[in-house]
Amino acid sequence: MLCNIQVTVNGRSYASAVEPRLLLVHYLRDVLGLTGTHIGCDTSQCGACTVLLNGKAVKSCTVFAVQADGGIILTVEGLAKDGKLHPVQEGFWEEHGLQCGFCTPGMIMASYALLQRNPNPTEAEIRHALEGNLCRCTGYQNIVRAVQWASRQMAETQPTPAPRRRAGRRSR
Amino acid sequence: MVCAPFTYHRPSSLRQAIALLQRLGEEAKVLAGGQSLIPVMKMRLAQPQHLIDLGGIQGLSYIREARGAVRIGALTTHAEVEASDLLKRRLPVLAETASLIGDMQVRNRGTIGGSVAHADPAADYPATLLALDARFKVVGPEGTRTVPASQFFPGPFTAALKPGEVVTEVQVPLPPQGSGASYQKFANKASRFAVVGVCAFISLNARGTIRSARLGVTGAADHPFRATAAEEALQGARPEERVFQRASRLVTQGVECVADVHGSAEYRAWLCQVLARRALETALARARGG
Ligand SMILES: Cc1cc2nc3c(=O)[nH]c(=O)nc-3n(C[C@H](O)[C@H](O)[C@H](O)COP(=O)(O)OP(=O)(O)OC[C@H]3O[C@@H](n4cnc5c(N)ncnc54)[C@H](O)[C@@H]3O)c2cc1C
Ligand code: FES
Ligand code: FES
């Protein structure tokens, strides 16, 4: 039995008929062709598949596409604007936050989610937020630096007082 | 990884969900955050023919204070518990426990009702909910009942739920003045599940002796448990080093610790003792207002 779903992915609306057992990650990759979201494990542990669903970082391999019906999804493909990389993406470039790059889309989306609710995280907060993302290459040091780079960059380009006031707070 | 096929149901009320569960029986499972169920379905360790998604039911996600207890709706996510200002003020140990579950993505989807219903012997909430003497509101075909945490976890991956029953609310009594609690977890680095986790709750009376103490333990045995022998050793005693030491040694009395690749039974028993000490010391400092 197929189920009809409607989702908005990176600002575009899609309607599809899907099998209930179809995982969101397979929907994104195989149905919509958005292969930026990776699959790195079978056990819901690696975080390579991380996307934002209704503003929250989730492992898209551990959500059925039917559960996302009516939802708003952001994948790594949706971050760059007008050909310009998002500061989080730039940060991974500038600070050498990747080697093979397999974990990178998930790392970037988890980091983006963190910076949305905590624009100026401490190192400990960055590491806590990235506990669900495994990297087999970098040793994480440069990933932490990449997030710190993005945090500084975003504060400069959006000098609103609000993020500064909330700085360091862990809750949303 | 592809799950076995199933029929998806998304009822919009609890009543409909329970009727579906009753009609479909053994073949059906409810789906909450999916952070335990989907992984086991991917491995085909579970192949339910029907999934009843609770996600379409309004009003099962809340944290509020009423009649001397904090009430948490079953669909409240770990992330919501972690971030709750009410809990940080009234029951900070519960927010702390939630913050130690899995990782950010798991906490964004996983729910408190799903965690207690799944009853993983290494899950975090059970330890803290046992120590806080929580109760679970359960609704089923025969109506509503409330089950104390101390009777809710009889065995591994087994909650005291009858067929067709759904957990709808977790109720945590507000502790009296002069109380404190702490959850100490030794996590497996890869899965982040507890190898052992201990939550201690201490309530002092006006003279500074221990009015009551409760210890909830997860990960050590094949189901979470209250360390009753240790609790008895603490009751009425002065909260001193010697007393904590003796109580900590009693945590595993009469308990058969489990052994697996993450640790031997002896190692787990030792962790219980060390973590109980730390939890008791922190709980005491908090009870004294430190
Ligand atoms: C990578 C990873 C790491 C994790 N680490 C930890 C950890 O460190 N500590 C920890 O405690 N947990 C951990 N978990 C498990 C997580 O906390 C789950 O969220 C939780 O165990 C189940 O909640 P859920 O809402 O996702 O339930 P689901 O997966 O949807 O359901 C789990 C089971 O409970 C039943 N169920 C769900 N809701 C109800 C209800 N209201 N009434 C009756 N039955 C119900 C379902 O039918 C199913 O059998 C981890 C999970 C993952 C994937
Ligand atoms: S693919 Fe590894 S967590 Fe989703
Ligand atoms: S860069 Fe290779 S896994 Fe992270």
Side-chain angles (χ1 to χ4, degrees):
Chain A
M1 193 185 72
L2 296 182
C3 294
N4 291 312
I5 63 167
Q6 183 276 319
V7 290
T8 303
V9 184
N10 302 332
R12 251 184 85 180
S13 174
Y14 298 88
S16 312
V18 299
E19 251 195 290
R21 63 172 166 170
L22 184 71
L23 297 167
L24 180 58
V25 70
H26 291 133
Y27 176 71
L28 293 170
R29 289 175 57 86
D30 302 345
V31 180
L32 303 188
L34 294 169
T35 53
T37 302
H38 290 173
I39 301 172
C41 74
D42 292 331
T43 50
S44 302
Q45 281 174 330
C46 76
C49 62
T50 301
V51 301
L52 268 69
L53 173 58
N54 300 324
K56 306 223 167 90
V58 304
K59 292 176 178 173
S60 60
C61 73
T62 315
V63 178
F64 291 117
V66 284
Q67 291 178 283
D69 184 25
I72 295 174
I73 296 160
L74 182 68
T75 73
V76 71
E77 288 95 339
L79 285 183
K81 287 275 171 312
D82 306 322
K84 190 176 173 341
L85 293 181
H86 188 276
V88 181
Q89 294 170 303
E90 272 186 80
F92 275 72
W93 181 322
E94 290 296 331
E95 294 292 338
H96 198 59
L98 63 144
Q99 288 175 35
C100 80
F102 197 85
C103 70
T104 312
M107 286 288 179
I108 286 180
M109 296 315 289
S111 304
Y112 175 88
L114 166 69
L115 293 172
Q116 288 296 302
R117 74 183 145 84
N118 182 356
N120 189 13
T122 64
E123 179 178 341
E125 286 168 340
I126 294 170
R127 289 184 185 275
H128 183 58
L130 296 181
E131 274 167 355
N133 294 76
L134 304 183
C135 175
R136 307 211 84 173
C137 305
T138 63
Y140 302 98
Q141 305 294 54
N142 287 352
I143 291 178
V144 173
R145 288 189 194 113
V147 180
Q148 290 168 329
W149 190 97
S151 164
R152 287 194 301 273
Q153 189 70 14
M154 287 163 76
E156 273 173 32
T157 51
Q158 308 153 9
T160 49
R164 285 182 198 285
R165 242 191 312 123
R166 287 210 309 269
R169 247 183 54 168
R170 275 181 57 191
S171 57
R172 268 156 301 158
Chain B
M1 285 276 139
V2 180
C3 306
F6 58 85
T7 305
Y8 178 74
H9 306 265
R10 197 176 166 87
S12 54
S13 74
L14 191 61
R15 184 198 295 252
Q16 281 173 22
I18 290 163
L20 273 168
L21 263 179
Q22 206 177 0
R23 179 158 64 77
L24 300 168
E26 294 274 284
E27 311 294 339
K29 265 192 169 299
V30 302
L31 174 68
Q35 301 302 291
S36 291
L37 187 52
I38 298 177
V40 296
M41 286 177 66
K42 290 202 302 190
M43 296 291 178
R44 300 217 173 182
L45 295 171
Q47 308 195 4
Q49 291 181 14
H50 297 269
L51 274 196
I52 303 169
D53 188 352
L54 301 180
I57 303 174
Q58 297 294 313
L60 279 181
S61 173
Y62 54 85
I63 303 174
R64 58 173 173 251
E65 193 181 324
R67 297 187 300 280
V70 171
R71 287 148 202 273
I72 305 174
L75 287 187
T76 308
T77 63
H78 310 334
E80 286 160 350
V81 171
E82 176 184 13
S84 160
D85 286 329
L86 172 65
L87 289 174
K88 281 183 198 162
R89 264 186 295 116
R90 305 293 262 160
L91 288 164
V93 69
L94 203 49
E96 276 166 27
T97 304
S99 78
L100 297 174
I101 296 175
D103 51 58
M104 173 176 71
Q105 293 92 320
V106 167
R107 292 192 294 274
N108 278 338
R109 298 280 307 164
T111 68
I112 193 166
S115 177
V116 297
H118 191 60
D120 190 305
D124 296 299
Y125 274 136
T128 300
L129 294 171
L130 279 165
L132 295 177
D133 211 14
R135 300 168 73 82
F136 304 113
K137 189 171 156 194
V138 167
V139 181
E142 285 156 32
T144 302
R145 64 191 181 109
T146 321
V147 188
S150 56
Q151 291 169 20
F152 197 73
F153 305 107
F157 299 103
T158 309
L161 290 171
K162 295 187 207 144
E165 281 188 331
V166 173
V167 179
T168 60
E169 186 178 87
V170 176
Q171 305 170 347
V172 189
L174 283 167
Q177 281 288 319
S179 310
S182 165
Y183 178 63
Q184 302 284 331
K185 172 180 184 176
F186 186 83
N188 174 297
K189 287 286 175 218
S191 76
R192 310 213 71 83
F193 267 99
V195 180
V196 170
V198 179
C199 183
F201 168 86
I202 291 181
S203 177
L204 300 175
N205 58 32
R207 280 171 291 124
T209 55
I210 299 173
R211 186 203 334 247
S212 63
R214 290 188 295 269
L215 288 156
V217 183
T218 193
D222 71 356
H223 62 100
F225 62 92
R226 282 263 301 269
T228 43
E231 291 175 3
E232 278 160 25
L234 292 162
Q235 173 118 30
R238 294 189 104 14
E240 327 174 310
E241 163 126 14
R242 192 176 42 84
V243 174
F244 283 179
Q245 217 160 25
R246 200 168 81 80
S248 302
R249 277 200 295 269
L250 291 172
V251 167
T252 49
Q253 193 181 71
V255 173
E256 205 175 312
C257 287
V258 292
D260 59 20
V261 289
H262 307 305
S264 63
E266 295 73 28
Y267 181 63
R268 279 195 164 80
W270 176 246
L271 278 178
C272 284
Q273 193 174 325
V274 171
L275 296 175
R277 270 284 291 281
R278 290 183 193 164
L280 283 167
E281 278 159 18
T282 311
L284 175 65
R286 290 178 175 175
R288 286 176 169 159

